[in-house]
Amino acid sequence: MRSVKDFAGYELIDASVGERLERWGNIILIRPDPQIIWDTPKTNPLWKTAHARYHRSSSGGGHWEAYKRVPDVWSIGYDGLKFNLKPMGFKHTGLFPEQAVNWNLMGRILTGLRPTGEPYKILNLFAYTGGATLACLAAGAHVTHVDASKGMVAWGKENARASGLIDRPMRWLVDDCMKFVERELRRGNVYDGIVMDPPSYGRGPNGEVWKLEEKLSKLLELTARLLSDQAVFFLVNSYTGGLSPSIVRYMVELTVGKGRRGAVQADEIGLPVTDRGMVLPCGNTTVWLSDRARPFYD
């Protein structure tokens, strides 16, 4: 398992009985996590002095219960990047800190293999609030950031502005990711690196149902065709319980890896739990790396 190190702005302090105790800057939050099925004593005093706790509803969704004042927006930093945080519905804050291991990987590849001519072109699909986008921009790449949510794209721009990257070469697009890929294929556009974080489940604007297990094969097959001859990576994140790293690795080998020199790696990613001395699994990442990029994998 690959886990985050040296993320000063974030800490997973403890985990017990279905909940995480987390520090986001100087704000302490308690959030549910169904993977935490063990029952250990909640001895850390921060369990009793947190700023807010998210309660799930038996009918779906949930709500935040504030014990202290929580800012409408606050920010944390990582490796020179700044991220604005907001307490959202369904327990989120606008950032998945475990993804820092992938930001680091892409940054190492893009800076270590920096081209002498035009900068690398990177496509970030299901780009959310832009963690991967910012990491690639900071490494000198030209990024196309695509997400179906207008609000998430606006949030990504806020993060880019806070990080001093808003003037870097990039495109911010509000679009259906699958339809965007299909149009890019018709246009003949290609990219040197692709990263995607598709949701496990969702509904489109016209009520279309998205289930990753049913859509992933076609998504990979189509998106793989957008890779240039000089491509260096193709990275897929998954938080879907039924898609193990081995399954996604096999699918990436059949699509992205077919006919290309390189190798496919698949691992769980996780967060160290300070009080437990363990690492909490937080999904998995599968990445195809060109032969030139393979030495940068950790």
Side-chain angles (χ1 to χ4, degrees):
M1 185 188 302
R2 294 185 297 134
S3 63
V4 177
K5 301 178 179 67
D6 303 319
F7 199 147
Y10 172 84
E11 181 184 10
L12 177 50
I13 302 166
D14 196 8
S16 180
V17 197
E19 291 184 311
R20 300 182 185 190
L21 177 67
E22 301 170 298
R23 177 182 60 79
W24 300 82
N26 60 359
I27 303 297
I28 305 298
L29 300 179
I30 299 172
R31 298 192 301 156
D33 189 322
Q35 292 195 106
I36 303 171
I37 60 175
W38 52 89
D39 186 348
T40 49
K42 294 181 175 180
T43 56
N44 193 305
L46 291 175
W47 282 107
K48 297 180 179 179
T49 59
H51 288 75
R53 174 183 248 131
Y54 187 88
H55 297 280
R56 275 205 172 116
S57 169
S58 59
S59 58
H63 70 279
W64 287 98
E65 180 183 8
Y67 306 123
K68 302 177 183 178
R69 181 182 176 276
V70 177
D72 293 334
V73 181
W74 74 102
S75 65
I76 62 174
Y78 178 77
D79 197 24
L81 305 176
K82 294 290 185 182
F83 300 99
N84 292 326
L85 307 176
K86 309 170 189 177
M88 302 165 61
F90 198 64
K91 79 178 182 179
H92 296 309
T93 64
L95 187 69
F96 293 91
E98 63 273 12
Q99 289 296 329
V101 294
N102 292 324
W103 308 336
N104 293 342
L105 172 61
M106 290 182 287
R108 288 196 304 272
I109 293 171
L110 294 172
T111 55
L113 300 177
R114 193 183 299 273
T116 55
E118 293 294 317
Y120 283 122
K121 291 175 58 181
I122 306 300
L123 174 61
N124 187 5
L125 296 171
F126 309 95
Y128 196 49
T129 60
T133 294
L134 269 57
C136 292
L137 285 175
H142 182 295
V143 183
T144 297
H145 173 113
V146 186
D147 196 280
S149 168
K150 183 178 180 180
M152 291 300 106
V153 173
W155 196 335
K157 288 182 181 180
E158 293 174 11
N159 288 337
R161 186 172 291 106
S163 299
L165 299 170
I166 194 64
D167 294 326
R168 296 290 178 95
M170 73 162 309
R171 294 190 294 166
W172 302 95
L173 301 176
V174 179
D175 206 342
D176 178 278
C177 288
M178 184 77 86
K179 292 178 181 177
F180 173 80
V181 168
E182 292 169 341
R183 286 197 300 273
E184 288 292 86
L185 287 171
R186 291 194 294 270
R187 294 167 182 146
N189 289 335
V190 293
Y191 296 87
D192 305 308
I194 296 174
V195 53
M196 63 171 70
D197 198 346
S200 298
Y201 180 85
R203 288 187 178 274
N206 298 316
E208 312 95 325
V209 175
W210 167 280
K211 291 184 178 179
L212 185 58
E213 296 96 324
E214 298 174 359
K215 302 290 187 179
L216 184 58
S217 182
K218 181 181 179 182
L219 177 64
L220 291 174
E221 189 274 326
L222 290 177
T223 311
R225 290 159 53 189
L226 291 178
L227 287 175
S228 71
D229 292 338
Q230 294 77 40
V232 288
F233 66 77
F234 187 111
L235 190 149
V236 185
N237 291 304
S238 173
Y239 291 88
T240 305
L243 291 174
S244 70
S246 297
I247 290 173
V248 182
R249 175 176 183 163
Y250 182 59
M251 296 176 75
V252 171
E253 288 173 340
L254 288 174
T255 52
V256 183
K258 187 176 181 180
R260 291 187 177 88
R261 295 176 60 87
V264 178
Q265 303 279 353
D267 284 299
E268 287 184 304
I269 57 176
L271 292 168
V273 185
T274 303
D275 285 6
R276 298 291 158 199
M278 62 169 291
V279 177
L280 178 69
C282 301
N284 63 76
T285 296
T286 302
V287 57
W288 169 84
L289 299 166
S290 71
D291 285 340
R292 292 189 301 140
R294 288 173 65 184
F296 296 94
Y297 191 82
D298 59 353

